Amino acid sequence: MFKNKSIGIIGVRGIGKIYLRELSSLGVKKVYILGKNYKNSINNKLSLQTESNVEIIPCKSIKDFKSKYLDIVCICSPTNTHLSYINKFLKTKSKLIVEKPLFDLNNLSGKKIDQIVVNLFKNYSKKVITNLPLIEYSKSLKTKFKINKKEIKNINFKYYTSGKNSYKNIAIDLLPHSLSFLLFFFALKKNQIIVKSKKVTKNTWKTIFIFNKINCTFDFDQKVNRKRSILKISINNKNYLRVQKKNTSRLIRNHEYIKTKFLLKKISNSMSLSIRKNLLKLIKNKISKKDINFQKSLISLMSFFIK
């Protein structure tokens, strides 16, 4: 299905490597890449080519990249570049998978955010999808541990990661994960939320709120030199810790588990599964109304929490 498709990745150094891995596993033989500059793209090709069986072709510029008439573009560049790249491809044949968040909400009014959402999901609804791996993680958590949403009384979502974000940019980076979890279990709307407190520092972002009589905490921490990310979701005071047995290269899938006090259960790699499913949706033109509404709800909730 993907063998004869023309695929491009914008930003191949970090998350983009994972996309390259998944594209290779789907049978893609050639990938065009666009980096910060041409020299950067050539260096990325040289470092990746030895580890991948995909032919990697660096592009000199966005004009060069667009000239390849790509079937799918994977946007894995910094968040503040997403919207610019999305707009460059909306009127082309290319379909877009964008790393979370879909676009940077910083310095945008509520009216402007609404305009962007209407444009993307009304005029180009089958063209763009956000990659949200916590949807797959939440499915695994629910299935493996038989979590019944009707029994949930409190949730603590703790996510400590490495990264260069600070202040509310931490929330812009990590809210898509916690909100994906809540949207998967509950049809959450912002008018159901009562915020009890919010504390923001250079390296942390924390809020405590209530919805539908459920007490919830989002606890985010981001530091540049953190060696290992911590994702721990507590439901009714029972901890579910994500455990990843990492490989030396992002071109090899990590083994992923969910650990409780007494159990360790292996699950599918959430990131890999999410990327593959979304690529298939784009190729088959099967972005559903549910997918669209999920993305719209996520953006609405993100705007509510960061403003």
Side-chain angles (χ1 to χ4, degrees), residues 101-129:
L102 184 58
F103 59 90
D104 189 358
L105 276 63
N106 258 327
N107 305 317
L108 296 177
S109 66
K111 183 177 179 181
K112 182 62 177 177
I113 291 169
D114 290 343
Q115 288 173 349
I116 293 168
V117 168
V118 167
N119 183 45
L120 291 179
F121 297 116
K122 184 177 180 181
N123 301 328
Y124 302 98
S125 60
K126 300 291 185 180
K127 194 175 180 67
V128 181
I129 194 162

Side-chain angles (χ1 to χ4, degrees), residues 10-11 29 38 40 71 149 187 215 245 255 270:
I10 301 175
K29 299 300 181 187
Y38 188 44
N40 183 274
D71 294 296
K149 70 177 185 179
N215 295 297
K245 295 189 176 179
H255 294 293
S270 307

Side-chain angles (χ1 to χ4, degrees), residues 251-268:
L251 295 176
I252 304 171
R253 283 188 195 140
N254 296 331
H255 294 293
E256 193 165 337
Y257 305 82
I258 299 176
K259 181 181 179 181
T260 64
K261 187 174 182 180
F262 300 108
L263 295 171
L264 180 68
K265 295 192 177 185
K266 188 173 183 179
I267 62 171
S268 299

Side-chain angles (χ1 to χ4, degrees), residues 78-93:
T79 300
N80 60 5
T81 68
H82 286 187
L83 191 57
S84 173
Y85 283 127
I86 290 168
N87 287 333
K88 290 181 190 300
F89 288 95
L90 283 181
K91 295 182 180 179
T92 69
K93 77 161 191 170

Side-chain angles (χ1 to χ4, degrees), residues 266-277:
K266 188 173 183 179
I267 62 171
S268 299
N269 184 294
S270 307
M271 186 67 166
S272 296
L273 194 57
S274 181
I275 291 171
R276 291 165 70 91
K277 282 187 174 182

